[in-house]
Amino acid sequence: MQKEYSLHSRCGSSRIFLDEGLERLGPLAGGRRTVLLTDERVHALHGERFPEMEVISIPQGEQAKSLGRATLLYQEMIRHKMDKASLLIAAGGGVVTDLGGFVASTYQRGMGLGFVPTTLLAMVDAALGGKNGVNLGEYKNMVGTIRQPEFVLIDPSFLQTLPRKEFISGLAEVVKYGLISDPAILDLLEGKDADEVALDGDLLAEIIDRSVQAKIKVVEEDEDDSGVRRILNFGHTYGHGIERLHDLSHGRAVAYGMMVALALSEKLGLLETGVREKAMRILRQLELIPDIQPDRERVMEIIARDKKRRGDRIAFVLLRRPGVTEIVPLTPEEIAGHLEDTDL
Ligand SMILES: NC(=O)c1ccc[n+]([C@@H]2O[C@H](COP(=O)([O-])OP(=O)(O)OC[C@H]3O[C@@H](n4cnc5c(N)ncnc54)[C@H](O)[C@@H]3O)[C@@H](O)[C@H]2O)c1
């Protein structure tokens, strides 16, 4: 069902269209000089579906999120005679929306920007909230801006061509929203495997809709990452640690991080009975549980360097029950101690 939400924050407002077709892009561009930024794979699969406009296509993959690539894009924009009044539409996964958002926010100190997310992760997470950025060598998202795109157009039909692995990876963020914000998402997912979710259009539309609403709610409450927005890091602190050590999809790393956060929540006597088991059933059925035995000491070393650290403590997002989080400052030693005799 077509729906429109709005997201308001100090760094601008976005109109977010759900289940919307690409023909809407013409009216949204409103006669402005417009360039479509996309990656080679999305362009090959879906390029013809977009209205006629200039296209800049970048190589697919995380390496494109760099200052070097941003410089090449600024030069392309000059060549296309783009100015502040022009519009950049970034259509792709989180790499394209992050890079496109950064370039549009900085080119001539800011030009028009719209997103068409084409991965599940970008639809429910990366394209929403206004955080854009590029990596600096091995440092992820080190240079960036916070600025809301004018619009985000979500057309779930893009997901039909998304590789299964990428789809499953995106589902981890959906489970996260179920745990931190909207318990109904967990009920919708329980008992379903990834293929059932992918093939059930109504179910898919509903979990995207609920995830989008969850992200809007958190971002509107707190845009600068200092307070409420930190709950979006649920599963990510430990997840990022093991992502650096194991060859895992982002989704599986986050899923493992959520398992750790749930185990810690239980250990500290916060978590309602049965929640962890339910979450584990869902993650298992969605093939999100990685088969790894991480070297906990090395994970803790990486976590200790986390940029979200305050003094010697890490603000760990824990759970009381689905929809109710608690941020608990813990030292790496405390985390390691609590995890020692868990059944992870
Ligand atoms: N800004 C934020 O708030 C935020 C939040 C989460 C993640 N991110 C960023 O998002 C990035 C990851 O995003 P991602 O997982 O979407 O990865 P991605 O953009 O690399 O896309 C994954 C792969 O899927 C392909 N693809 C995209 N859409 C497709 C489609 N419809 N059909 C077939 N193939 C398709 C891409 O070409 C690419 O090869 C990371 O850089 C991460 O830092 C940003």
Side-chain angles (χ1 to χ4, degrees):
M1 201 184 28
Q2 285 185 343
K3 277 191 186 170
E4 181 180 341
Y5 296 113
S6 49
L7 185 159
H8 301 288
S9 72
R10 273 187 289 122
C11 300
S13 297
S14 289
R15 298 173 74 189
I16 297 158
F17 300 95
L18 285 188
D19 272 336
E20 187 70 56
L22 298 179
E23 57 287 351
R24 185 73 185 241
L25 292 176
L28 287 167
R32 284 177 284 179
R33 187 180 281 274
T34 304
V35 164
L36 179 73
L37 174 71
T38 187
D39 74 20
E40 281 159 6
R41 186 191 289 183
V42 174
H43 189 235
L45 290 166
H46 298 282
E48 284 176 5
R49 295 175 53 197
F50 286 84
E52 188 66 33
M53 61 182 108
E54 301 281 356
V55 178
I56 302 175
S57 181
I58 58 166
Q60 67 190 55
E62 185 73 24
Q63 261 123 322
K65 252 178 69 170
S66 68
L67 282 172
R69 180 60 59 182
T71 305
L72 293 175
L73 291 182
Y74 297 136
Q75 286 159 351
E76 286 270 299
M77 310 271 262
I78 293 170
R79 202 170 62 75
H80 286 295
K81 300 193 170 43
M82 305 288 279
D83 62 23
K84 288 176 84 67
S86 312
L87 174 68
L88 182 76
I89 299 177
V95 165
V96 171
T97 57
D98 272 11
L99 175 69
F102 176 70
V103 165
S105 305
T106 46
Y107 181 75
Q108 297 197 1
R109 300 194 190 87
M111 59 178 293
L113 169 67
F115 286 156
V116 180
T118 63
T119 63
L120 181 59
L121 181 87
M123 290 179 191
V124 300
D125 192 5
L128 305 166
K131 280 192 182 180
N132 313 296
V134 295
N135 305 327
L136 206 62
E138 62 172 305
Y139 297 99
K140 286 261 299 169
N141 305 320
M142 205 55 172
V143 181
T145 53
I146 300 189
R147 178 167 176 260
Q148 303 300 340
E150 287 169 32
F151 64 85
V152 182
L153 190 151
I154 299 177
D155 176 354
S157 73
F158 278 104
L159 300 180
Q160 286 165 14
T161 59
L162 190 67
R164 191 169 182 275
K165 187 170 166 259
E166 300 288 347
F167 181 75
I168 290 178
S169 186
L171 282 173
E173 299 295 336
V174 175
V175 174
K176 180 190 81 178
Y177 292 124
L179 287 168
I180 63 167
S181 178
D182 180 359
I185 294 177
L186 301 178
D187 298 334
L188 286 163
L189 289 175
E190 182 147 38
K192 303 275 186 333
D193 64 33
D195 299 318
E196 286 173 302
V197 179
L199 293 172
D200 184 339
D202 290 342
L203 173 64
L204 193 53
E206 182 159 6
I207 59 168
I208 293 173
D209 185 351
R210 285 182 173 274
S211 300
V212 166
Q213 289 189 61
K215 176 117 190 207
I216 293 174
K217 192 171 134 210
V218 175
V219 172
E220 283 194 335
E221 276 176 49
D222 166 23
E223 209 183 344
D224 62 9
D225 227 4
S226 60
V228 180
R229 193 165 176 163
R230 281 190 298 179
I231 71 170
L232 295 171
N233 291 327
F234 183 71
H236 284 62
T237 307
Y238 207 90
H240 284 152
I242 55 166
E243 204 172 355
R244 301 269 296 265
L245 289 182
H246 295 266
D247 183 23
L248 284 180
S249 71
H250 177 69
R252 287 206 172 107
V254 168
Y256 194 89
M258 292 195 285
M259 288 162 52
V260 167
L262 290 165
L264 279 176
S265 308
E266 206 166 68
K267 201 69 197 284
L268 293 173
L270 297 171
L271 192 64
E272 211 170 66
T273 333
V275 177
R276 184 172 166 214
E277 292 70 21
K278 179 171 177 167
M280 294 295 285
R281 280 197 302 277
I282 293 171
L283 292 173
R284 191 170 298 115
Q285 193 143 20
L286 296 175
E287 299 170 48
L288 277 166
I289 296 187
D291 184 17
I292 51 164
Q293 285 301 327
D295 178 339
R296 287 191 185 155
E297 241 170 72
R298 287 191 61 201
V299 181
M300 291 321 303
E301 278 166 26
I302 295 173
I303 294 180
R305 297 198 298 262
D306 193 292
K307 62 183 175 199
K308 295 190 175 69
R309 197 188 53 215
R310 298 272 183 283
D312 64 346
R313 287 175 186 271
I314 297 149
F316 226 87
V317 187
L318 300 181
L319 203 68
R320 285 191 173 273
R321 57 178 178 277
V324 183
T325 48
E326 175 135 343
I327 296 179
V328 182
L330 292 168
T331 62
E333 295 73 28
E334 283 169 336
I335 298 170
H338 289 311
L339 289 178
E340 220 152 68
D341 53 350
T342 53
D343 52 354
L344 273 172

